[in-house]
Amino acid sequence: MKVKFAPSLMCMDLMNVQNQIGILDQYADYYHIDIMDGHFVKNLSLSLDFVKRLKLITNIPLDCHLMASNPEMYVDQLIEIGADFISLHAETISGQAFRLIERIKQADIKFGVVLNPETDLHAISSYLHLVDILTIMSVDPGFAGQKFIVESIDKVRLASSLKADKQYSYEIAVDGGCNKKTYKILRQAGAECFIVGSSGLFGLHENLNLAYELMLREYEQETACI
């Protein structure tokens, strides 16, 4: 399976969005959009209005990663805006997971679930078969540039094993610290989509075309022997 890359747009130059999207559209498989409420995580990032405006200038699928204590308040708006994926934190949907999944899928939108570093994969075993994209956090959510949490590798490995054993169809994405230091071990563990931010993409070169080429080169160099 060809690995995918999803630029994390909270790390882009937000003063130069249209130009940067024009460049990224040539390469990206998805766009990863962090939407934070300042409560579930102590930060604010991209907004619903950003998603709405982005839909006007790109056809790349948008994976909206909702970091909010009350995700049910945002799901209908994301459906209306036209999100391609709505990814909800497992820690926030206990007691309403099946209702939210049904609402998302009835709108013909793909359902994603996100696991914090300390959240066990078995916490979502009852609805894992309904997941389209499984995002495993390898840093604590909310802030860019954190140290990679090595314990997340075992979770990726288990997710890959379960997918094969149960014939599940979810895609395994990793969010946090995806760069030349971690590509090989994550790919070996079963990662299928790398969400790339400051260290993996945007910080590699001020010229975004060159940065993307460097990222792909680093990935190919690190994983050539797999």
Side-chain angles (χ1 to χ4, degrees):
M1 177 182 178
K2 178 183 177 292
V3 72
K4 296 179 181 178
F5 291 92
S8 177
L9 297 190
M10 70 176 286
C11 300
M12 73 188 300
D13 179 2
L14 294 175
M15 299 298 290
N16 195 20
V17 171
Q18 190 149 358
N19 180 60
Q20 295 216 325
I21 291 298
I23 294 170
L24 291 172
D25 275 356
Q26 303 172 67
Y27 308 103
D29 294 291
Y30 309 134
Y31 288 137
H32 187 84
I33 303 172
D34 292 305
I35 301 170
M36 307 177 189
D37 67 349
H39 184 264
F40 178 66
V41 293
K42 296 181 180 179
N43 197 6
L44 293 170
S45 185
L46 305 177
S47 66
L48 297 177
D49 189 58
F50 177 86
V51 178
K52 184 177 181 178
R53 293 175 183 273
L54 189 60
K55 288 288 291 186
L56 299 175
I57 62 172
T58 186
N59 292 317
I60 299 295
L62 308 183
D63 178 14
C64 297
H65 174 187
L66 190 54
M67 300 185 216
S69 296
N70 301 105
E72 68 280 1
M73 295 173 58
Y74 300 84
V75 166
D76 285 339
Q77 295 177 73
L78 285 170
I79 290 172
E80 183 178 348
I81 290 168
D84 298 281
F85 296 83
I86 298 178
S87 291
L88 308 178
H89 268 268
E91 300 84 10
T92 69
I93 61 174
S94 178
Q96 57 180 335
F98 285 97
R99 283 184 285 115
L100 291 175
I101 294 168
E102 183 179 14
R103 191 183 311 171
I104 291 167
K105 286 184 172 286
Q106 281 184 342
D108 200 27
I109 293 171
K110 293 184 178 180
F111 166 66
V113 68
V114 186
L115 296 176
N116 277 347
E118 69 273 19
T119 301
D120 195 282
L121 188 61
H122 295 297
I124 62 171
S125 59
S126 62
Y127 56 86
L128 191 53
H129 61 292
L130 299 174
V131 174
D132 296 302
I133 186 165
L134 170 61
T135 300
I136 294 172
M137 297 293 301
S138 49
V139 298
D140 289 330
F143 295 90
Q146 298 180 62
K147 182 181 178 182
F148 181 82
I149 296 172
V150 297
E151 286 81 359
S152 62
I153 297 167
D154 286 338
K155 197 183 299 180
V156 174
R157 192 174 290 116
L158 177 58
S160 182
S161 176
L162 280 172
K163 179 179 177 178
D165 291 345
K166 302 286 188 179
Q167 296 187 320
Y168 291 148
S169 59
Y170 55 74
E171 190 169 298
I172 303 169
V174 178
D175 186 0
C178 294
N179 54 47
K180 64 180 181 179
K181 296 179 180 179
T182 58
Y183 288 143
K184 182 177 180 179
I185 188 69
L186 286 171
R187 190 70 184 103
Q188 288 175 324
E192 298 165 324
C193 179
F194 294 102
I195 296 166
V196 285
S198 300
S199 65
L201 174 59
F202 294 99
L204 295 181
H205 200 282
E206 61 182 14
N207 182 311
L208 193 51
N209 272 305
L210 291 177
Y212 215 101
E213 290 173 8
L214 283 169
M215 181 196 73
L216 293 176
R217 193 179 310 151
E218 288 181 347
Y219 173 78
E220 290 166 2
Q221 289 172 346
E222 295 301 320
T223 61
C225 61
I226 296 177

